[in-house]
Amino acid sequence: MRAVVGSTRIEEEIFGRAFDGNVIRRIWRFVAPYRPQVVIAVLAALTFTLSQLSIPLLIQYAIDNGMTPGADAGTLWRIMALFVVAILVNFSASLVQEKVTARTAENVLFDIRWRMFEHLQRVSLSFMDKTEVGRLMSRLQGDVNSMQEFFETSVQSVGDIALLVGIVVAMLWLDWQLAAMVLLVLPVLFGVRVLWLARARAAFMAAHEANSVANGALAEAIHGVRAVQALDRAGLNADLYGKLVGNAYQAQLRASRLAQIMIPIVDSLTGIAMAVVVIAGGLMVASGRVEVGVMVAFLFYIQRFFDPIRSLTMQYSVMQRAMASGHRLTEVLDVSVDVTDAPDAVALGAADDGSVEFRNVTFGYDPQNPVLKNVSFKVKSGERVALVGPTGSGKSSSISLIHRFYDVMDGAVLVGGRNVRTVTQDSLGRHIAMVLQEPYLFTGTILENIRYSSHWASDADVIEAARAVGAHDFIEAMPQGYQTVLDERGGNLSLGQRQLLSFARALVVDAKILVLDEATANIDSYTEMQIQKGLQTLLEGRTGIVIAHRLATIRNADRIVVLQHGVKIEEGDHEALMADKGLYSRLFELNYASFDDLPADLTLKDRATAT
Amino acid sequence: MTTSVPTSETNERRFRRTSDVEVQQGLGALARITRMCIQYPWRAGLAFTATLAAVVAQLAIPVILGRAVDMTQASEGDVFEAGPLVAVALMLLGASVLRGLFTLVQNYTAESLGHALAHDLRNMIYDKIQRLPFSFHDQTHSGDLITVGMLDLEGVRMYFSTALVRTFFLILLIGIGAWLLLSTNVVLAFLALSFVPFAAWRSTVMRLILRRTWLILQEKLGVLSQVMEENLAGIRVVRAFAARDYEMAKFERASKTALELSHQRINVRVTNTSIMTLAFFTAMGLVLLYGGRQVAAGEITVGTLATFLTFMTILQMPVRQLGMMVNAYARASTCGARLFQLIDMQEEISDAPGARDLEITEGTLRLENVGFSYQGAGRHALSGISLEAKRGEAIGIVGPPGSGKTTLMHLIPRFYDVTEGAILIDGQDIRDVTLSSVRQAVAVVQQDSFLFTTTIENNIAYSTPFVEDARIRNVAESAQLHDYVLGLPSQYHTIVGERGVSLSGGQRQRLSIARTLMMEPSVLILDDSTAAIDAGTESRIRAAMRDYAKQRVTLIVAHRLASLMHADQILFVDDGKVVERGTHDELLALGGRYKALHDLQMRPDADVLDEMAGVQ
């Protein structure tokens, strides 16, 4: 069926096993620092439950001992004093329990999120490349939240179990025979609830799913509205969406029916229990076997029956959900960190020069499939080198290695004459400035974006950098100048403007080496001109390693390194390479605007000639 | 750039956020939602009737219980008869069952009414969003529309069940209950009800505080999630600048603000709920004390006391939830106001009354003195543009960024309406014919086109989902996409788009061209749609499209002159006006702006760049 709106969603497993020891152990490590709080919360929950239980008992006692005709007025007062104590205990215990539980759960949640986020700052980039941001976000938000729910309800469950046990014990203590009759309802209630839960959950999930599908289609319509109008699909889409919404409606009605059906069942069972107390208890009272207060207390307890049962059965789902989430959380925490500072790592400093050397480097994301094979070249301090080659030739991997985003499999990458594995990553980051192919900007002011993490740079430094790359004029023309807040990803700027800001950001770092991945997109000639000028400033007095796509950039380089299929096939300046009549000269003569996105036949032919 | 919206306008969005919605608007919204609910008279009637019945059954329970307790007392000394006791027990059971059943009906009908209302509103919202013109979408954050369609809809949906029916329920419960108690024992009734005003007040205050802080918390959490998301999406920048510490500090700042606010909320909630419980128990203690002395004095029976105590238990929960009800009103009013604002939005571009379909005969496109300015922007984006193109002709349009090229291209399919002059196809003003027929007649390939998260096949056939597979293959071949698709694991069934296989810029553009080739328009617009495609592939696409182009007028916007130098006529546009016009050769001979651009592109050396910089 080709006519669809909304996308096929890939749903994650929502419920896991209700109990997973491994997950519990891992998560416990986050709770452990809050052990005193947990103990306090559980004690408070138990105290709270006891005070709850005591109230019907006090009422019973008052009825049977303080209200009988001719009873001593002092008795009622004494019971009332106890009652006051009970409700004050109840008040403080509930305050302590809820506050401590909620705050601790919230703290644990933020701790877990902190740990995950911090971990993601260090995991290998190939993991980050493979993993969608949305997926990680749902770990950091959805999964972490369902753990929070789990903590909160866990403490509550302790109270619920205590309440249930307490009610049973209190009833048995008041009158075991009457209690035995009434308690017959309990297993029925439990059974019905458990049977119901399985079906209800399926219905809730179906409703949730149908609803998400419809919402997904709405989001698509919002984001793709221009395409929808351009392709004249509004009418058909409205019909298709109508069907999705209709499905969601039916599913929601079904879920609603199932949710409500429990009410008459519980009420009827409660009614039966009460009827039993009235008849059996009434007869017992009439025959003088028990006091009337006992009957009243029973009636009170019966009305409290269902609450703990409901929460306890709910807790099962919460646990299943938490285990599934917890499993995914630990997966993120377990992603290995490949690149770490060596124990004796030194910091690259001002004394180290800006040279870069590849010494017989072999590297691959998958060891079986190296993307760089025995590549060697040297870039002297202050020199400008262009890396050229078709898509998949290993250019991007090369510049990632200079920055030690990954470790080489064989050979070595040297920066400032030192193996990158022997220096600290932080100092490497300050020694090398990098401009990525796609300019990436953060939400915030222009000033903050240019300064980024170079906290040492003053406002004047930032403005100076912007001026140097030719961004100052358009920034000043914006409503709030440097204080203009950028939209998401710099949406209120043109591509060229974003590019210039990313140049300024790299310039502020004032590093000895500049690594740049030139944009492939065919920018209009006017913007292109500005960018070329910005680039000249940026490279001045620095070692420059540029993945070049534009002929102007390539021709301005001191040296050109041509890569193909992970092998260095040519090296030299423009004239020398043209004289060689190799891949470079052929590409140049064909006048391709970009060395990427080349026709397959051209590169295939070259593979044959290169090997 | 696909759209060139002046920045000042973007900042001043027509579509307003929560805080801006005024109280008056909110009250109007409540009235309107209420009217909409009444349009389901059966469900509404049934819900209210069931509520009444449920309240009566519920209130019967404490009365019957009291009677049962007294029965055991009254029979002291006499011969006890079990018969009446069984009757009372059965009544109790009956009342419980009825209470359950009526509550079921009440809740279910109320919820189903809400769902039905939401169902209708969803369709209205979707249709409205699809039909609102580009100018609206330019000025509206997509996130705001999603909020309306999902969260605001929920607020409106819940109104009937959590606000209206709930209010009715509480009024009946407290009203009838109070009357019942008061007619039994005035002092005791006052004592029993004494916690109600206090709990109602605390609960309302609490909910309103929680609501306000919730909105703030959402904002803080939004900041936190933005910090995380941007960090993850831009992880290469973060790593490249060795900015881990900086990013962690940013994260911790956002996280801490959210955590603190969240703790504040916990305090408000816990303190209030605990104090409400305390108030309830205090009232119960007073009833017990006063009632106990009355019982001891023989003024009232134990059963009466039990009735009072049970009634209090019944009342406790609904009263504590009063705040939620108040919250439901507040939520529905803001949500409703925003939702109606969207639904009531004028569709500025729509069919004129009695409009007929466009009739294509010659397939001639004519622009007569076309002028355009964006809403609220003082200056003209375009002015005095005239053009005539016959079937089979190609028109090239070139100019610096922001000169109005894309704007002009958006006028022809009527994404915006001209503010001066007219656009005619075969002599018919496009504003006089049906919008759908214009969109069928004018097809646009945009530079940065949206791909739907679905298969490549579905994307290509988006405009014409019911065609044969062969045709899809054909256009894919023309767009030089077929070979690439064959290399994919699921070929034409590979899912692309936001959550599918990611395509390069060039592949996206080729897909977008293929998608447009499925249509049979009279006017084809290529709006800078080959920027990311290399020159060789582009010329092959052009060759494959030669026959297709013979059947229609083609308008080409491009930066790369090679893409449009073969056009029958080339317009050089600057600042919204045509400054040069002619064929490639004529324009070169003219030696103006076009020629300067041509030179720049043909000799991409640094010295030419410097030269250009001098000229500017």
Side-chain angles (χ1 to χ4, degrees):
Chain A
M1 195 46 205
R2 249 187 242 125
V4 283
V5 286
S7 55
T8 18
R9 293 162 56 86
I10 306 139
E11 279 287 337
E12 288 180 330
E13 191 188 2
I14 293 181
F15 294 103
R17 280 189 293 163
F19 190 86
D20 185 333
N22 187 33
V23 170
I24 299 265
R25 259 194 308 281
R26 295 289 301 273
I27 299 300
W28 174 251
R29 270 184 230 160
F30 289 97
V31 186
Y34 299 97
R35 211 168 314 179
Q37 280 93 325
V38 173
V39 172
I40 292 172
V42 169
L43 287 180
L46 293 176
T47 313
F48 176 73
T49 309
L50 279 180
S51 64
Q52 291 270 77
L53 282 169
S54 71
I55 286 166
L57 287 180
L58 285 171
I59 294 175
Q60 175 261 324
Y61 198 72
I63 290 176
D64 293 341
N65 298 297
M67 302 181 191
T68 41
D72 174 20
T75 313
L76 190 58
W77 280 108
R78 273 190 296 279
I79 297 168
M80 285 321 295
L82 278 178
F83 189 88
V84 169
V85 172
I87 65 174
L88 285 179
V89 168
N90 181 279
F91 172 68
S92 7
S94 99
L95 211 59
V96 171
Q97 183 228 316
E98 292 214 34
K99 216 174 259 194
V100 174
T101 310
R103 291 180 77 124
T104 309
E106 198 85 23
N107 284 336
V108 170
L109 160 115
F110 276 77
D111 289 352
I112 294 179
R113 188 181 290 150
W114 186 89
R115 167 73 55 219
M116 288 170 71
F117 187 70
E118 202 264 344
H119 188 68
L120 288 173
Q121 303 305 306
R122 293 182 291 129
V123 301
S124 85
L125 267 184
S126 37
F127 169 80
M128 298 301 286
D129 290 341
K130 281 196 301 251
T131 315
E132 270 174 78
V133 171
R135 197 159 273 263
L136 289 175
M137 286 303 286
S138 90
R139 300 285 164 281
L140 287 163
Q141 295 183 308
D143 287 333
V144 170
N145 285 339
S146 70
M147 294 308 292
Q148 179 195 22
E149 183 190 28
F150 170 65
F151 293 134
E152 281 189 17
T153 55
S154 292
V155 173
Q156 205 191 322
S157 318
V158 174
D160 283 331
I161 293 174
L163 184 62
L164 201 58
V165 172
I167 289 177
V168 172
V169 170
M171 282 177 150
L172 287 170
W173 180 69
L174 283 171
D175 189 290
W176 71 269
Q177 283 170 323
L178 190 55
M181 278 187 270
V182 172
L183 289 178
L184 280 178
V185 182
L186 210 58
V188 180
L189 209 51
F190 242 119
V192 168
R193 178 85 194 167
V194 168
L195 282 180
W196 168 84
L197 201 65
R199 303 192 56 190
R201 201 169 66 189
F204 295 155
M205 291 290 296
H208 173 79
E209 176 73 34
N211 201 38
S212 318
V213 168
N215 279 341
L218 176 69
E220 181 191 86
I222 292 170
H223 293 128
V225 66
R226 289 179 175 81
V228 168
Q229 293 194 5
L231 298 165
D232 197 37
R233 265 270 298 246
L236 177 58
N237 283 359
D239 291 347
L240 294 168
Y241 181 74
K243 285 200 193 95
L244 294 185
V245 171
N247 290 343
Y249 174 58
Q250 293 303 335
Q252 278 162 333
L253 285 190
R254 202 179 122 68
S256 174
R257 273 198 295 275
L258 264 163
Q260 300 302 333
I261 196 76
M262 207 58 202
I263 294 177
I265 295 175
V266 171
D267 278 356
S268 303
L269 287 170
T270 314
I272 290 172
M274 287 197 290
V276 168
V277 171
V278 167
I279 297 172
L283 287 173
M284 288 176 180
V285 174
S287 66
R289 253 203 60 214
V290 297
E291 305 271 12
V292 68
V294 173
M295 186 173 152
V296 174
F298 261 83
L299 291 172
F300 269 94
Y301 281 132
I302 286 169
Q303 289 175 42
R304 295 300 313 274
F305 247 7
F306 190 65
D307 293 345
I309 292 178
R310 180 175 50 206
S311 352
L312 282 175
T313 44
M314 289 282 236
Q315 177 65 8
Y316 187 74
S317 312
V318 172
M319 274 183 77
Q320 284 182 309
R321 203 159 41 218
M323 289 305 132
S325 292
H327 185 69
R328 287 191 289 262
L329 295 184
T330 54
E331 264 175 9
V332 171
L333 290 170
D334 287 343
V335 174
S336 64
V337 176
D338 301 341
V339 178
T340 48
D341 283 353
D344 53 351
V346 292
L348 271 172
D352 298 290
D353 67 12
S355 68
V356 174
E357 187 184 348
F358 273 57
R359 211 176 265 173
N360 305 102
V361 170
T362 298
F363 166 73
Y365 303 95
D366 160 19
Q368 307 302 319
N369 235 334
V371 291
L372 286 177
K373 297 163 206 154
N374 199 23
V375 171
S376 297
F377 62 88
K378 194 169 158 54
V379 184
K380 291 194 286 283
S381 199
E383 205 184 6
R384 197 178 298 181
V385 166
L387 292 180
V388 170
T391 311
S393 57
K395 295 168 304 196
S396 304
S397 304
S398 304
I399 63 167
S400 296
L401 293 179
I402 300 174
H403 217 294
R404 205 182 164 214
F405 285 166
Y406 311 96
D407 275 333
V408 296
M409 276 155 51
D410 201 12
V413 176
L414 289 83
V415 169
R418 296 171 194 267
N419 189 328
V420 290
R421 299 176 101 142
T422 64
V423 300
T424 61
Q425 293 174 75
D426 277 1
S427 69
L428 200 58
R430 276 194 291 276
H431 209 69
I432 307 167
M434 206 167 188
V435 177
L436 303 175
Q437 193 173 57
E438 293 273 317
Y440 188 91
L441 299 175
F442 296 85
T443 306
T445 64
I446 291 183
L447 193 78
E448 286 164 356
N449 262 290
I450 298 179
R451 180 182 290 138
Y452 192 50
S453 62
S454 310
H455 50 84
W456 58 85
S458 67
D459 288 4
D461 293 340
V462 169
I463 294 171
E464 186 48 46
R467 217 187 275 279
V469 300
H472 182 72
D473 290 347
F474 86 79
I475 296 172
E476 283 288 279
M478 310 221 27
Q480 276 93 37
Y482 283 86
Q483 298 302 332
T484 307
V485 176
L486 296 182
D487 284 358
E488 224 178 306
R489 307 280 146 84
N492 42 352
L493 299 177
S494 74
L495 181 61
Q497 290 170 333
R498 277 180 280 163
Q499 192 74 253
L500 289 180
L501 286 190
S502 76
F503 282 3
R505 180 167 64 191
L507 191 61
V508 166
V509 179
D510 196 20
K512 291 211 166 128
I513 302 170
L514 181 89
V515 173
L516 182 131
D517 192 351
E518 203 170 34
T520 43
N522 202 310
I523 304 170
D524 67 90
S525 310
Y526 303 89
T527 312
E528 167 92 44
M529 191 173 67
Q530 286 178 318
I531 288 177
Q532 284 293 345
K533 279 167 68 183
L535 187 56
Q536 301 308 321
T537 322
L538 197 53
L539 285 168
E540 240 162 57
R542 272 174 248 282
T543 308
I545 298 173
V546 183
I547 295 185
H549 306 285
R550 312 209 179 290
L551 297 175
T553 318
I554 296 168
R555 293 202 54 178
N556 276 326
D558 297 322
R559 208 142 41 86
I560 299 157
V561 172
V562 185
L563 292 173
Q564 192 182 22
H565 306 299
V567 181
K568 185 183 83 177
I569 53 167
E570 290 164 37
E571 184 177 354
D573 62 14
H574 177 71
E575 279 69 30
L577 292 184
M578 290 305 285
D580 278 355
K581 301 266 176 244
L583 175 65
Y584 178 81
S585 68
R586 204 156 50 251
L587 291 177
F588 192 84
E589 271 154 13
L590 282 172
N591 197 16
Y592 277 101
S594 147
F595 278 13
D596 275 321
D597 205 10
L598 289 174
D601 47 354
L602 189 71
T603 48
L604 279 179
K605 205 160 59 202
D606 269 290
R607 187 200 291 249
T609 53
T611 50
Chain B
M1 295 301 306
T2 43
T3 48
S4 20
V5 185
T7 332
S8 59
E9 247 183 58
T10 332
N11 289 343
E12 195 185 63
R13 296 204 170 85
R14 261 193 308 176
F15 204 69
R16 291 184 294 176
R17 287 153 169 266
T18 341
S19 47
D20 309 333
V21 178
E22 287 140 35
V23 181
Q24 218 170 6
Q25 249 178 309
L27 289 179
L30 288 187
R32 185 154 160 198
I33 306 173
T34 310
R35 277 199 303 276
M36 290 178 89
C37 292
I38 299 171
Q39 276 160 19
Y40 305 89
W42 283 104
R43 281 190 250 210
L46 193 55
F48 284 118
T49 316
T51 306
L52 176 63
V55 167
V56 170
Q58 177 142 6
L59 287 175
I61 292 172
V63 176
I64 301 169
L65 272 179
R67 181 94 72 76
V69 170
D70 281 347
M71 237 176 229
T72 62
Q73 298 286 296
S75 58
E76 212 167 344
D78 306 332
V79 180
F80 183 73
E81 283 185 48
L85 201 58
V86 172
V88 171
L90 286 178
M91 276 166 71
L92 194 58
L93 179 58
S96 295
V97 172
L98 285 180
R99 183 188 95 110
L101 286 176
F102 286 128
T103 309
L104 164 85
V105 175
Q106 171 205 325
N107 289 352
Y108 178 69
T109 44
E111 277 188 18
S112 84
L113 189 149
H115 285 307
L117 182 64
H119 172 266
D120 297 352
L121 284 172
R122 279 177 125 172
N123 279 321
M124 284 160 83
I125 293 168
Y126 185 88
D127 205 46
K128 184 56 92 174
I129 286 174
Q130 280 203 117
R131 290 181 195 283
L132 280 169
F134 278 31
S135 57
F136 170 83
H137 290 285
D138 291 343
Q139 290 163 37
T140 310
H141 246 305
S142 55
D144 288 348
L145 290 180
I146 288 181
T147 305
V148 174
M150 297 178 192
L151 298 181
D152 291 345
L153 182 85
E154 275 298 283
V156 173
R157 174 177 79 75
M158 305 280 283
Y159 174 71
F160 185 70
S161 57
T162 59
L164 280 187
V165 173
R166 199 92 202 133
T167 310
F168 186 65
F169 173 76
L170 264 181
I171 290 174
L172 287 179
L173 190 68
I174 298 180
I176 302 180
W179 171 75
L180 246 153
L181 294 190
L182 283 169
S183 57
T184 315
N185 187 312
V186 179
V187 180
L188 215 47
F190 272 113
L191 290 179
L193 292 170
S194 62
F195 80 100
V196 173
F198 178 77
W201 168 59
R202 282 322 305 170
S203 163
T204 306
V205 169
M206 170 181 85
R207 275 296 150 194
L208 292 179
I209 294 176
L210 287 183
R211 180 179 160 76
R212 202 179 57 228
T213 49
W214 186 82
L215 292 173
I216 303 170
L217 182 64
Q218 286 313 102
E219 219 175 277
K220 305 279 180 223
L221 289 175
V223 172
L224 177 62
S225 97
Q226 188 176 47
V227 167
M228 294 193 292
E229 215 211 303
E230 292 193 342
N231 171 286
L232 298 175
I235 194 80
R236 277 175 183 276
V237 175
V238 176
R239 300 274 172 103
F241 284 79
R244 190 198 309 159
D245 293 345
Y246 174 78
E247 288 286 313
M248 284 311 292
K250 202 155 75 170
F251 170 81
E252 269 158 33
R253 216 163 32 235
S255 179
K256 214 168 149 224
T257 342
L259 185 63
E260 271 163 16
L261 191 64
S262 172
H263 280 178
Q264 266 178 39
R265 284 173 49 78
I266 292 170
N267 275 350
V268 170
R269 179 167 56 85
V270 173
T271 313
N272 277 292
T273 51
S274 300
I275 214 160
M276 280 190 277
T277 314
L278 185 64
F280 168 74
F281 280 134
T282 307
M284 186 179 252
L286 292 175
V287 168
L288 204 55
L289 181 62
Y290 181 81
R293 292 168 66 102
Q294 295 271 74
V295 173
E299 302 270 332
I300 59 166
T301 62
V302 181
T304 308
L305 183 62
T307 302
F308 272 84
L309 292 175
T310 315
F311 175 73
M312 286 181 74
T313 321
I314 287 174
L315 209 55
Q316 190 196 3
M317 256 310 149
V319 169
R320 286 177 59 161
Q321 286 168 354
L322 200 81
M324 286 191 205
M325 186 185 91
V326 175
N327 186 47
Y329 280 103
R331 188 170 168 210
S333 75
T334 39
C335 291
R338 259 191 310 192
L339 194 142
F340 293 133
Q341 198 194 340
L342 173 67
I343 288 182
D344 296 342
M345 202 62 90
Q346 281 286 322
E347 288 170 34
E348 284 149 33
I349 296 182
S350 56
D351 291 346
R356 272 190 275 167
D357 282 353
L358 181 67
E359 271 177 54
I360 306 291
T361 48
E362 302 291 313
T364 305
L365 169 72
R366 211 163 82 226
L367 274 63
E368 281 176 359
N369 218 16
V370 165
F372 179 75
S373 45
Y374 283 100
Q375 224 161 24
R379 71 191 186 91
H380 284 275
L382 291 171
S383 57
I385 296 193
S386 293
L387 170 73
E388 186 170 287
K390 295 198 171 58
R391 183 176 280 165
E393 283 183 353
I395 310 290
I397 291 147
V398 69
S403 55
K405 305 182 297 287
T406 293
T407 305
L408 180 62
M409 294 305 105
H410 281 176
L411 294 180
I412 300 169
R414 231 188 138 200
F415 292 153
Y416 301 86
D417 269 339
V418 296
T419 43
E420 280 163 40
I423 295 174
L424 304 121
I425 295 174
D426 280 339
Q428 302 151 81
D429 190 319
I430 56 170
R431 284 169 295 183
D432 297 338
V433 293
T434 61
L435 192 57
S436 180
S437 66
V438 174
R439 301 271 160 88
Q440 293 282 347
V442 183
V444 193
V445 187
Q446 280 159 349
Q447 183 190 13
D448 189 16
S449 50
F450 181 88
L451 293 190
F452 296 88
T453 305
T454 176
T455 62
I456 290 185
E457 179 181 271
N458 289 1
N459 263 295
I460 295 179
Y462 195 76
S463 63
T464 46
F466 306 106
V467 296
E468 289 151 28
D469 290 0
R471 196 156 141 57
I472 294 174
R473 234 134 277 204
N474 274 339
V475 298
E477 276 166 11
S478 300
Q480 308 298 308
L481 191 66
H482 184 67
D483 290 341
Y484 168 72
V485 173
L486 289 189
L488 291 170
S490 319
Q491 305 199 337
Y492 280 91
H493 296 291
T494 307
I495 293 180
V496 294
E498 223 176 312
R499 272 169 289 140
V501 171
S502 60
L503 302 180
S504 76
Q507 287 153 356
R508 290 171 69 96
Q509 290 192 335
R510 281 183 271 162
L511 180 51
S512 169
I513 290 172
R515 175 166 83 180
T516 308
L517 290 181
M518 291 296 288
M519 302 178 83
E520 293 288 347
S522 313
V523 179
L524 172 69
I525 296 174
L526 299 166
D527 187 5
D528 202 8
S529 52
T530 54
I533 300 173
D534 71 86
T537 308
E538 191 195 356
S539 72
R540 275 185 274 177
I541 294 175
R542 220 180 8 247
M545 281 175 60
R546 198 159 291 142
D547 285 338
Y548 183 82
K550 272 184 196 147
Q551 307 301 313
R552 47 214 104 228
V553 170
T554 310
L555 298 173
I556 307 162
V557 174
H559 290 302
R560 188 160 55 202
L561 295 187
S563 308
L564 48 71
M565 56 198 278
H566 310 289
D568 298 292
Q569 196 185 162
I570 298 169
L571 275 55
F572 193 103
V573 181
D574 192 15
D575 201 20
K577 296 182 192 70
V578 178
V579 292
E580 289 172 23
R581 185 194 291 256
T583 63
H584 177 69
D585 295 333
E586 286 164 11
L587 289 177
L588 283 188
L590 190 69
R593 304 279 306 267
Y594 183 85
K595 169 132 192 327
L597 185 62
H598 179 259
D599 292 348
L600 176 70
Q601 291 194 4
M602 291 302 112
R603 290 190 292 134
D605 288 324
D607 47 313
V608 181
L609 292 172
D610 293 342
E611 199 180 296
M612 272 297 284
V615 172
Q616 287 273 303

